[in-house]
Amino acid sequence: MHRALTNIPLFPLSGHVLPGGVMRLRIFEPRYIRMVREVCAQDDGRIGMCMFNEHGSIEANSHIHPIATLARVIDFEHRDDGLLGITVEGMDACQIDAIKSDSDGLRRGNVRIIDHWPPTELPPQFQHLADRLCQVYAEYPELGSCPGDDRLGRADWICQRWLELLPVNAETKQELLREPSCERTLDYLSGLINESEQ
């Protein structure tokens, strides 16, 4: 049975973090500064990192796609530009079942932690996805460093990182994330990477 959680603060973004990923953010809106303070004061405080639906309605709360990522704040800093900088780590895939709004516009949702793609060994014909991902990390060190452990041999982990990095629209990501495994995403990403390198 999938675990249900209530009253999770939601943070819709055009950028995305998935389970196992890390994202750095600059926070300036008062409602989200309040959100960060709230979750940091809790032992197990989590944020629902959501994909923004550009075709949805903010008034009807349909501007938030249902498949999201439960994340925790792992670092924060007060920046020289006056903004609050935070780093979040994606923990679990979840589905948002209900959304309500606080008086300042902060959304909260009831969510269910859902089964995501199972750990999957990277097939040899997709090794170029792992190799190219390490090249991206080397070219853009602000993204982090290429892992030296077994994550590079996992197709599910590699697919998640590419979905975070590539400008794939949220509707497509939602469709791929609903799949029971990462196999379709492997084919999709391989096609994108091959096209970009031709």
Side-chain angles (χ1 to χ4, degrees):
M1 186 172 181
H2 295 172
R3 188 154 54 102
L5 301 169
T6 60
N7 213 36
I8 298 296
L10 306 178
F11 196 176
L13 291 170
S14 55
H16 307 137
V17 63
L18 299 175
V22 173
M23 175 183 277
R24 294 175 179 84
L25 299 165
R26 291 179 296 173
I27 308 295
F28 59 90
E29 289 189 53
R31 58 182 165 173
Y32 294 126
I33 292 174
R34 178 171 71 86
M35 174 190 72
V36 171
R37 288 180 180 148
E38 178 183 302
V39 299
C40 287
Q42 300 170 356
D43 290 337
D44 193 26
R46 283 172 287 184
I47 302 168
M49 304 298 294
C50 309
M51 298 187 189
F52 188 81
N53 180 1
E54 59 185 20
H55 304 297
S57 163
I58 292 177
E59 291 74 21
N61 286 329
S62 59
H63 65 300
I64 294 175
H65 280 295
I67 305 299
T69 302
L70 279 176
R72 64 188 179 101
V73 178
I74 58 173
D75 195 15
F76 65 91
E77 62 174 342
H78 294 285
R79 296 167 48 91
D80 293 337
D81 57 13
L83 302 181
L84 176 65
I86 67 169
T87 303
V88 298
E89 178 183 20
M91 305 298 292
D92 298 294
C94 66
Q95 178 161 333
I96 304 165
D97 291 327
I99 299 174
K100 63 181 181 179
S101 300
D102 289 355
S103 59
D104 61 0
L106 177 66
R107 268 69 179 182
R108 298 177 184 275
N110 295 337
V111 306
R112 288 179 294 122
I113 295 176
I114 58 176
D115 295 329
H116 195 38
W117 303 328
T120 305
E121 186 176 351
L122 183 67
Q125 66 268 32
F126 295 108
Q127 180 60 41
H128 63 288
L129 293 178
D131 297 339
R132 185 70 185 100
L133 184 62
C134 280
Q135 292 173 8
V136 170
Y137 281 127
E139 293 168 14
Y140 301 96
E142 66 272 15
L143 296 174
S145 56
C146 195
D149 55 23
D150 64 351
R151 286 175 291 178
L152 272 183
R154 281 178 43 200
D156 54 301
W157 188 88
I158 290 167
C159 286
Q160 289 169 330
R161 304 294 75 79
W162 276 119
L163 286 180
E164 292 169 343
L165 293 171
L166 291 173
V168 177
N169 68 59
E171 288 80 7
T172 300
K173 290 183 182 181
Q174 291 279 308
E175 184 179 339
L176 294 170
L177 291 171
R178 287 189 182 97
E179 291 285 319
S181 75
C182 65
E183 290 182 11
R184 184 179 168 199
T185 307
L186 274 176
D187 289 329
Y188 176 80
L189 292 173
S190 184
L192 285 184
I193 300 299
N194 289 340
E195 284 179 14
S196 69
E197 295 179 347
Q198 287 178 358

